[in-house]
Amino acid sequence: MTQASETNAYNFAYLDEQTKRMIRRAILKGVAVPGYQVPFASREMPMPYGWGTGGVQVTAACLVPEDRLKVIDQGADDTTNAVSIRKFFQRTAGVAVTEATGEATVIQTRHRIPETPLTEGQILVYQVPIPEPLRFLEPRETETRKMHELEEYGLMHVKLYEDIARHGEIATSYAYPVKVEGRYVMDPSPIPKFDNPKLGDNAAIQLFGAGREQRIYAVPPYTQVVSLDFDDHPFVASKAPHDCDLCGAKGSYLDEVITDDAGSRMYVCSDTDFCTGRREAGHVGRLGVAMAGGVA
Amino acid sequence: MTSDALTGGFAKAPQQSARAFRGLLEVMARPGTIHLLEGAAPPAPLSVAAGVALLTLADGTTPLHLTGAADCAAVRDWVTFHIGAPLVAAEDADFALGRWQDLQPLHRFRIGQPDYPDRSATLIVEVDRLEAAGARLTGPGIKDAAHLSLPEVAAFRANRALFPLGFDVLLTCGAQVAGLPRSTIVEDV
Ligand SMILES: [Zn+2]
């Protein structure tokens, strides 16, 4: 088939073939230089920028008809954003969808890494609002690019150390900067720092797409990713000191939910598929009720 | 233009290029693994994998360098018709295609700029044999160590020493493809 007749073909995964080629080339260069932000010509997508158009374009460039796609927003599969993106790819790529982390071949995420460990053959696509970890220290792109080139990351350490001086600890709890393979400092997107240890040595391919900022970057499988810290203040992947009130999980990242006007609160897994899976397996938390259907 | 130039492209480009890209992504993200690229029939002497890689990644915006036996009328016509990549000298190429000895000397290929290391060439190297044996590979994408039949070791060690600059490599043999990004540390066994 020629390029001319391609334009008449079904627009698999929405984007035209030339755009997908451009994004695919950027993804491969990102994989070859882990943590480095590859510029790409972001396209208008039929959704607002805040909805993760960078991640959507990366997903569109990666999907094959045989994929099973999972989309999460802060750990949940059922938010408006997650549902819309899932429907978009069901319609434009005809792919199967799932909420089960273990069954998905491609997972697009906003602000979380699933609790269930990922496996080889899976791709995790992050929606990234601000890809440049040095941006809040230096607004000029030409300067931050120079800083990456020269590995001038001292300012980043100064910023984190000011946190310690002011708060007694590093206060940054989301989008906590990491260094990839000892070379590039990278913004892991606004995931909680609790998720940072899952970035490194992960069996899955991790791809990051920033639509408005037009950047793609990648962390290949089994890559070293280290959260920036200090000898006297080592990185801690902290979470709320509670168990999940629904499933009793001790080690999962929790959302705090206000349950009545008196300010009562409960803590529940932010990863809804993980929580549901545990409850279906019979685990019950402090405020949980046994799942219907006799599975306990 | 030879009449064969009109045939041998993708029949269903969107789906076939999507599957081919996933193979390319897997081999670049997991050096030492070998995948199959199918769906195209490029003219001799191009391998199926090399043809599919070009159809999937190259177009009118990506200058291509053909060398050795790959630099023949049949291939040039096929590239012009199906891909549209301008044919250029080694120094100007985003993609280069040929056998290892014909791609020498390697210092001609773009290795990116210190502030834009992505502006580097990808070499598609046609080999007679491709198997997960031989040189020892470590680095990003590799759990402990992997092995891959490489045409030589020294050139890849020199390329790794340039990191984050350097070229990236796809090795093609029949329908098989393997990847060797610049990040991989290569050692003799
Ligand atoms: Zn739970």
Side-chain angles (χ1 to χ4, degrees):
Chain A
M1 185 174 292
T2 67
Q3 303 221 329
S5 60
E6 262 176 18
T7 53
N8 297 324
Y10 178 54
N11 233 5
F12 179 74
Y14 184 78
L15 295 172
D16 64 89
E17 291 304 292
Q18 175 152 0
T19 297
K20 280 186 283 191
R21 276 193 295 271
M22 176 267 295
I23 295 171
R24 287 165 178 164
R25 290 193 296 266
I27 290 172
L28 293 186
K29 288 300 175 190
V31 165
V33 190
Y36 165 75
Q37 301 163 52
V38 184
F40 81 110
S42 183
R43 293 292 191 261
E44 290 291 325
M45 297 299 286
M47 55 194 76
Y49 271 123
W51 285 43
T53 55
V56 167
Q57 289 175 83
V58 169
T59 296
C62 288
L63 280 180
V64 297
E66 296 78 19
D67 270 320
R68 265 188 314 284
L69 175 68
K70 172 182 168 78
V71 182
I72 50 172
D73 180 3
Q74 310 260 18
D77 298 81
D78 59 357
T79 70
T80 310
N81 185 321
V83 170
S84 299
I85 293 170
R86 205 159 56 228
K87 279 189 178 152
F88 175 75
F89 284 118
Q90 273 182 294
R91 195 168 61 243
T92 60
V95 294
V97 296
T98 182
E99 296 189 2
T101 298
E103 291 175 9
T105 51
V106 176
I107 302 172
Q108 181 169 328
T109 179
R110 176 174 174 271
H111 302 184
R112 275 309 310 277
I113 299 175
E115 303 286 354
T116 305
L118 302 178
T119 57
E120 294 192 3
Q122 291 185 308
I123 299 174
L124 183 60
V125 178
Y126 295 76
Q127 300 173 200
V128 181
I130 301 170
E132 178 49 73
L134 307 170
R135 184 62 68 229
F136 62 95
L137 299 167
E138 170 55 64
R140 290 166 296 179
E141 167 69 14
T142 49
E143 291 304 306
T144 54
R145 197 159 276 283
K146 200 82 186 164
M147 290 160 78
H148 284 294
E149 172 188 335
L150 302 173
E151 296 183 73
E152 277 182 11
Y153 296 130
L155 269 181
M156 179 65 88
H157 280 95
V158 168
K159 193 274 175 192
L160 292 173
Y161 213 88
E162 283 172 356
D163 263 16
I164 296 170
R166 195 172 305 135
H167 307 286
E169 58 176 0
I170 297 174
T172 304
S173 54
Y174 292 88
Y176 190 103
V178 296
K179 197 172 216 184
V180 181
E181 283 288 322
R183 181 54 181 85
Y184 285 98
V185 166
M186 184 188 95
D187 186 324
S189 86
I191 58 172
K193 68 178 179 180
F194 172 81
D195 281 342
N196 272 29
K198 300 177 208 160
L199 291 159
D201 208 30
N202 198 312
I205 297 171
Q206 299 175 80
L207 304 176
F208 300 77
R212 190 181 52 233
E213 303 272 336
Q214 313 207 72
R215 295 290 183 275
I216 286 170
Y217 49 104
V219 175
Y222 310 117
T223 291
Q224 185 199 74
V225 180
V226 176
S227 301
L228 301 184
D229 66 357
F230 302 91
D231 289 341
D232 52 345
H233 283 86
F235 173 82
V236 180
S238 56
K239 64 181 274 282
H242 300 275
D243 300 345
C244 173
D245 284 328
L246 292 181
C247 77
K250 296 182 182 305
S252 67
Y253 191 72
L254 302 170
D255 287 337
E256 187 178 341
V257 182
I258 307 294
T259 53
D260 62 31
D261 291 347
S264 304
R265 59 198 62 200
M266 65 187 292
Y267 293 91
V268 298
C269 295
S270 113
D271 184 334
T272 51
D273 168 61
F274 177 78
C275 196
T276 305
R278 280 182 51 85
R279 294 169 68 205
E280 284 175 353
H283 298 282
V284 182
R286 185 177 65 96
L287 301 172
V289 287
M291 293 284 279
V295 274
Chain B
M1 178 174 287
T2 55
S3 61
D4 286 351
L6 307 180
T7 65
F10 284 139
K12 289 181 72 178
Q15 289 78 6
Q16 288 174 311
S17 64
R19 294 190 186 102
F21 174 69
R22 273 295 268 283
L24 292 166
L25 175 59
E26 283 289 329
V27 298
M28 279 304 237
R30 303 178 195 277
T33 62
I34 296 171
H35 280 249
L36 296 179
L37 297 183
E38 292 163 322
L46 291 200
S47 66
V48 169
V52 170
L54 282 183
L55 286 168
T56 304
L57 298 175
D59 56 31
T61 69
T62 58
L64 169 67
H65 177 68
L66 296 172
T67 182
D71 185 23
C72 63
V75 172
R76 286 194 299 264
D77 287 351
W78 189 80
V79 164
T80 300
F81 183 76
H82 290 279
I83 293 158
L87 300 176
V88 298
E91 291 78 1
D92 301 319
D94 282 345
F95 292 96
L97 170 59
R99 302 182 61 80
W100 185 246
Q101 63 270 24
D102 297 325
L103 289 162
Q104 310 298 322
L106 297 172
H107 65 75
R108 298 175 300 160
F109 294 104
R110 292 165 53 200
I111 57 171
Q113 303 154 216
D115 49 348
Y116 287 96
D118 55 302
R119 296 178 180 174
S120 61
T122 300
L123 312 185
I124 302 172
V125 184
E126 298 266 40
V127 294
D128 293 328
R129 181 179 67 90
L130 190 57
E131 55 189 10
R136 183 172 187 271
L137 315 182
T138 53
I142 302 167
K143 190 168 188 195
D144 298 310
H147 293 271
L148 191 64
S149 52
L150 295 179
E152 69 164 277
V153 165
F156 293 106
R157 294 183 62 82
N159 189 49
R160 178 62 179 80
L162 301 171
F163 190 88
L165 303 184
F167 52 76
D168 305 304
V169 170
L170 293 168
L171 297 157
T172 51
C173 176
Q176 292 180 306
V177 65
L180 202 75
R182 69 192 82 173
S183 58
T184 302
I185 298 159
V186 178
E187 293 166 290
D188 266 317
V189 284

